[in-house]
Amino acid sequence: MTGEKILIVDDEPNNFDIIEAQLLREKYELSYASSGIKALQRLPLFQPDVILLDVMMPDMDGVEVCQKIKSDPLWSHIPIVAVTALNSKQDMARCLEGGADDFISKPVGGIELRARIRSMLRIKQQYDTLQKQRDALAEMLKLREEMSHMIVHDLRNPIACIIFAGELLKEENTLSELNQKKVERIVNCGHRLQALTNDLLVMAKLESGHLVLHRNTINFCQLAHQTIVDFEPIASQKKIILVPEIPLTRKAVDLDANLFRRVLDNLLSNAIKFSPNNSVVRLRVEYPKNGPIQVRVRISDQGHGVSKELQEIIFQKYAVGSLVEGIEQIGLGLAFCKMIVEAHGGQIFVEDNQPKGATFILEI
């Protein structure tokens, strides 16, 4: 036996005998189903490589059977040859539209039948080969992703040691002013690496569905104010003015404060990083009166802005905006923001900030 399995679906047993005789030389493994319902029940038991499907059957005709098979991801790859006594082009088109891969007219000729089955088997073989390649690629990508997550996780300890050692060195009174600045730079870079590894781990948990949001009812305005205060020393280095447009209200919002603070940190850091010296960055908080939105945040800068083309992809992993000399761009910060905002059931997008710059808007 060649091993290829052919399922023959026909309400007339005599038709099965005819097809069996015509395929005898090929030594296929044949199975017979006398109705569409029995054919569907036979699929997981027999797992055919090709299906010969009679169109004119009572209860459930061949087109309906074909549609059910092709709509199931487990069986949609199996080639189906519609066997029909119908000869009009409309009837043949109906079979093809129902999902049939080919058709053959009754009375069935042996030479044509064998040729069409061989053709369908080649298609099935090509599909199986492609599926194996896809499975191997998916397995390789999964392994690489798991290794990346392990490496990122293992980086946390040495980074923490670098920060701890740097903090100890900062307390040394014997360091020169130049060495003190170098130590401060080491500590700052350590904190940046720590934040990046934490973001990568959060993203990995989000993608795997293992991240649990620790929601609390918080004063969002207070969170936004604190973010502005923490970034003022960084902004002052470029003589950038941070303008808070935050209402005086204690209105509460339900969210994970730690993760959402990191979203604000990412957006405000980007706004400062991509803004020119002596410019303005605004953080605006709004509480819409109508609709499902609890809070809307706008962070606007006066930088190069984001083109219409980039606005469509800027939140994808490793996507970066316009390259700016002297500014490091990895392409993970905005992807992280998008994941966190969407995990809260919100959305984030970017618009032009007239007359110049970009405005990142998030809504929860």
Side-chain angles (χ1 to χ4, degrees):
M1 297 179 69
T2 62
E4 290 94 347
K5 298 179 179 181
I6 313 296
L7 176 61
I8 302 168
V9 186
D10 199 309
D11 61 319
E12 292 291 339
N14 290 339
N15 290 334
F16 171 76
D17 294 336
I18 294 171
I19 292 175
E20 183 181 30
Q22 292 172 329
L23 298 179
L24 185 63
R25 290 185 305 171
E26 305 297 325
K27 298 183 178 180
Y28 296 131
E29 183 179 349
L30 305 181
S31 183
Y32 172 65
S34 59
S35 69
I37 294 174
K38 290 182 179 180
L40 295 175
Q41 294 171 343
R42 193 90 178 95
L43 284 177
L45 300 174
F46 186 61
Q47 298 186 6
D49 295 298
V50 175
I51 298 173
L52 297 179
L53 180 61
D54 185 30
V55 175
M56 301 297 292
M57 293 188 297
D59 299 327
M60 183 186 298
D61 70 11
V63 175
E64 188 178 352
V65 175
C66 188
Q67 289 171 339
K68 288 184 177 295
I69 293 173
K70 291 299 183 177
S71 64
D72 190 329
L74 288 175
W75 316 115
S76 60
H77 62 284
I78 300 175
I80 296 177
V81 179
V83 183
T84 176
L86 304 173
N87 293 317
S88 71
K89 291 183 179 180
Q90 289 83 356
D91 293 327
M92 293 177 182
R94 183 168 168 261
C95 293
L96 295 175
E97 288 173 0
D101 299 277
D102 200 354
F103 61 87
I104 188 170
S105 299
K106 293 181 179 180
V108 178
I111 296 176
E112 183 182 6
L113 176 64
R114 291 189 290 271
R116 291 188 184 275
I117 289 177
R118 291 191 196 105
S119 175
M120 293 298 103
L121 286 172
R122 286 195 296 270
I123 292 174
K124 176 68 163 44
Q125 186 178 26
Q126 291 170 356
Y127 173 87
D128 290 343
T129 301
L130 182 60
Q131 190 60 44
K132 288 179 182 178
Q133 293 172 345
R134 287 176 176 171
D135 291 343
L137 178 60
E139 188 65 28
M140 183 186 69
L141 291 174
K142 181 182 177 183
L143 178 62
R144 188 181 72 175
E145 193 76 8
E146 289 175 350
M147 290 181 64
S148 298
H149 295 160
M150 289 172 60
I151 291 170
V152 170
H153 186 274
D154 292 344
L155 280 173
R156 300 175 76 182
N157 285 335
I159 291 172
C161 290
I162 291 171
I163 294 172
F164 179 71
E167 294 290 356
L168 289 177
L169 283 172
K170 284 172 64 176
E171 297 177 3
E172 291 288 336
N173 297 324
T174 58
L175 292 178
S176 65
E177 184 179 350
L178 178 61
N179 286 335
Q180 187 74 23
K181 289 182 178 179
K182 289 180 179 179
V183 171
E184 289 179 0
R185 186 175 181 185
I186 290 172
V187 173
N188 290 336
C189 289
H191 282 297
R192 286 177 60 196
L193 281 172
Q194 191 176 58
L196 180 59
T197 53
N198 287 338
D199 287 354
L200 285 169
L201 287 173
V202 171
M203 291 170 71
K205 287 182 178 180
L206 275 169
E207 290 174 334
S208 64
H210 293 153
L211 181 70
V212 178
L213 295 179
H214 299 286
R215 289 178 177 266
N216 288 298
T217 303
I218 67 164
N219 185 333
F220 191 85
C221 289
Q222 186 177 8
L223 180 70
H225 266 299
Q226 189 59 53
T227 307
I228 288 285
V229 170
D230 292 343
F231 273 88
E232 280 177 343
I234 300 172
S236 65
Q237 295 175 10
K238 296 179 66 175
K239 298 181 179 179
I240 291 174
I241 300 173
L242 298 183
V243 178
E245 297 179 352
I246 303 172
L248 297 175
T249 177
R250 293 181 176 272
K251 188 171 183 179
V253 178
D254 183 43
L255 48 75
D256 188 317
N258 290 328
L259 288 178
F260 220 85
R261 170 58 199 263
R262 284 160 68 178
V263 171
L264 295 180
D265 286 352
N266 268 304
L267 295 176
L268 202 53
S269 175
N270 281 350
I272 295 170
K273 184 165 59 174
F274 290 100
S275 290
N277 293 349
N278 301 300
S279 60
V280 174
V281 170
R282 299 179 185 274
L283 191 157
R284 181 182 180 88
V285 178
E286 304 169 350
Y287 294 97
K289 293 182 179 180
N290 300 316
I293 298 173
Q294 296 184 74
V295 62
R296 179 184 293 117
V297 182
R298 301 176 183 268
I299 297 179
S300 304
D301 62 58
Q302 296 177 329
H304 294 278
V306 182
S307 68
K308 295 296 183 184
E309 294 77 14
L310 287 174
Q311 287 179 13
E312 300 296 325
I313 64 170
I314 196 69
F315 295 100
Q316 296 177 10
K317 285 175 68 174
Y318 308 113
V320 298
S322 302
L323 297 178
V324 180
E325 186 177 353
I327 296 180
E328 180 183 357
Q329 300 183 62
I330 299 175
L332 289 174
L334 291 179
F336 171 83
C337 293
K338 184 174 187 290
M339 288 183 177
I340 297 301
V341 171
E342 290 183 350
H344 283 82
Q347 63 173 341
I348 183 171
F349 50 97
V350 59
E351 295 179 349
D352 293 334
N353 180 34
Q354 300 299 333
K356 183 181 180 182
T359 297
F360 285 84
I361 304 168
L362 58 91
E363 299 173 337
I364 298 295

